[in-house]
Amino acid sequence: MSTNKDSKTVIIIAGPTAVGKTHVAIHAAKYYNTEIISADSRQCYKELRIGVARPSIHELQQVPHHFIATHSIHDEVTAASFEIYALQKVKELFERYDTVIMTGGTGLYIKAFCEGLDPVPAINAVVRQRIISEYQARGLEWLQEQVRQKDPAFYASGEIQNPQRLMRALEVVESTNTSILDFRKGTKAQRDFNIVYTGLELPKEQLHRNIHTRVDKMMEEGLLDEVKSLSAFRHLNALQTVGYAELFEYLDGRITLETAVEQIKTNTRQYAKRQLTWFRRIKGTTWYSPEEACKRFSPA
């Protein structure tokens, strides 16, 4: 089988949470008779299922998926390690297929795969754990203020509602006395295959309905019990995420269950908005509704 760049393509199917990426990706994978690599920073953890909207057993049986339930929450999984994993996996898949599908909502993972990452120095593990512990105890406003004081350049970049990015910026500046922005050189790695960006979007009202319905379904399926079973590990990075953090607050008696569920919905809507902002910056992306995308990946 030919291995020149013109014959090998990765189709990226990106978009906000609850837009329907899994359904479209499976449709596309069947059309090209190929496999799917997930680009989701939480679905890779085998202990997390309901709260990360992992594809169902039925969906996973339809098309082989990679980077789903492959790691433990005790493993350190980063955009850099995903880049290594995904490049090796796509190399293996290109031995059998000309086209591979990648789908997910973690923009930094997709960027790492497509363009590479700028090198960031090693972070002191003690510093990282202290920041996580203080964030858990003091909340987002404390984290925002710390970054505002210690890395005003990053604070001004506008990513102040994302605790993961804030903690990353804070641990870098505390470990190196240098802003994380100074490590972003903007040099893109060259890949020896084609990359086609497909974006999925819905009207805001419809996307919000999808999010609310999904959260309600998660609760019906037992998300609270899943969170209870993971309470001892709440300090781990894998659990600093929407759907788990709010229910830990409820379990601690700080808020009611109804409030926790409403906060999950609100925080998920805000996350979806940030995802769209990220993906809309990618030049060359063709945007479709999920229905239009499925038609694109169908026989004429």
Side-chain angles (χ1 to χ4, degrees):
M1 185 173 289
S2 173
T3 58
N4 68 75
K5 179 173 179 176
D6 289 341
S7 70
K8 302 296 180 181
T9 300
V10 175
I11 296 176
I12 308 288
I13 298 175
T17 187
V19 78
K21 295 185 295 295
T22 296
H23 176 72
V24 172
I26 290 173
H27 205 88
K30 288 181 175 180
Y31 177 71
Y32 287 104
N33 188 31
T34 187
E35 302 182 14
I36 296 170
I37 299 174
S38 168
D40 188 292
S41 65
R42 291 297 181 262
Q43 290 181 0
C44 63
Y45 296 116
K46 55 192 174 187
E47 296 91 343
L48 310 185
R49 182 179 66 84
I50 299 171
V52 297
R54 188 195 300 173
S56 67
I57 294 175
H58 174 67
E59 288 170 329
L60 294 173
Q61 288 175 338
Q62 292 186 62
V63 174
H65 285 66
H66 305 277
F67 207 63
I68 296 282
T70 51
H71 294 71
S72 167
I73 55 175
H74 301 283
D75 298 331
E76 182 178 6
V77 183
T78 65
S81 60
F82 174 77
E83 177 186 2
I84 295 170
Y85 173 97
L87 287 174
Q88 179 58 39
K89 183 59 64 176
V90 82
K91 180 180 179 181
E92 295 170 7
L93 294 174
F94 277 153
E95 294 178 1
R96 288 176 282 157
Y97 312 107
D98 285 337
T99 302
V100 173
I101 308 299
M102 176 176 286
T103 190
T106 305
L108 190 60
Y109 278 29
I110 292 174
K111 180 181 186 295
F113 172 76
C114 296
E115 304 176 3
L117 293 173
D118 295 317
V120 175
I123 301 302
N124 186 311
V126 175
V127 170
R128 172 174 291 165
Q129 191 54 57
R130 176 178 56 75
I131 290 171
I132 291 173
S133 297
E134 294 224 37
Y135 163 63
Q136 291 173 336
R138 302 190 185 191
L140 182 61
E141 289 186 6
W142 170 84
L143 186 57
Q144 291 169 334
E145 180 60 21
Q146 290 294 303
V147 174
R148 187 188 69 80
Q149 293 179 14
K150 298 178 180 180
D151 190 349
F154 180 84
Y155 186 86
S157 72
E159 295 187 87
I160 63 169
Q161 297 299 322
N162 187 325
Q164 292 300 314
R165 301 278 160 72
L166 287 168
M167 284 191 284
R168 181 63 171 155
L170 188 57
E171 68 184 17
V172 168
V173 73
E174 289 197 3
S175 296
T176 68
N177 291 318
T178 303
S179 171
I180 192 172
L181 297 182
D182 291 340
F183 295 99
R184 296 180 179 177
K185 305 304 181 185
T187 303
K188 296 182 180 180
Q190 298 299 309
R191 304 306 189 200
D192 60 353
F193 46 84
N194 299 301
I195 298 172
V196 176
Y197 289 98
T198 299
L200 300 183
E201 60 183 349
L202 284 169
K204 183 170 71 173
E205 296 77 12
Q206 186 175 351
L207 181 64
H208 286 180
R209 284 197 300 271
N210 286 2
I211 289 170
H212 296 172
T213 299
R214 171 180 281 185
V215 173
D216 289 337
K217 184 179 179 183
M218 285 176 173
M219 293 303 296
E220 291 169 4
E221 291 179 347
L223 176 58
L224 182 57
D225 287 336
E226 180 171 286
V227 172
K228 285 179 181 177
S229 72
L230 296 166
S231 185
F233 310 112
R234 66 170 69 189
H235 62 285
L236 296 176
N237 183 59
L239 290 164
Q240 313 304 311
T241 191
V242 175
Y244 295 85
E246 298 86 353
L247 288 175
F248 286 141
E249 290 276 295
Y250 161 68
L251 293 174
D252 288 341
R254 297 178 183 176
I255 56 177
T256 66
L257 182 59
E258 181 181 7
T259 298
V261 172
E262 286 305 309
Q263 286 185 358
I264 293 172
K265 292 177 180 178
T266 298
N267 293 337
T268 303
R269 292 196 307 270
Q270 293 173 345
Y271 177 54
K273 183 179 180 180
R274 293 196 300 271
Q275 288 175 301
L276 274 170
T277 299
W278 177 289
F279 290 126
R280 288 195 188 284
R281 292 199 299 255
I282 300 175
K283 296 180 180 179
T285 302
T286 304
W287 290 88
Y288 302 90
S289 71
E291 183 179 0
E292 290 169 339
C294 285
K295 288 180 180 177
R296 178 195 169 197
F297 299 123
S298 297

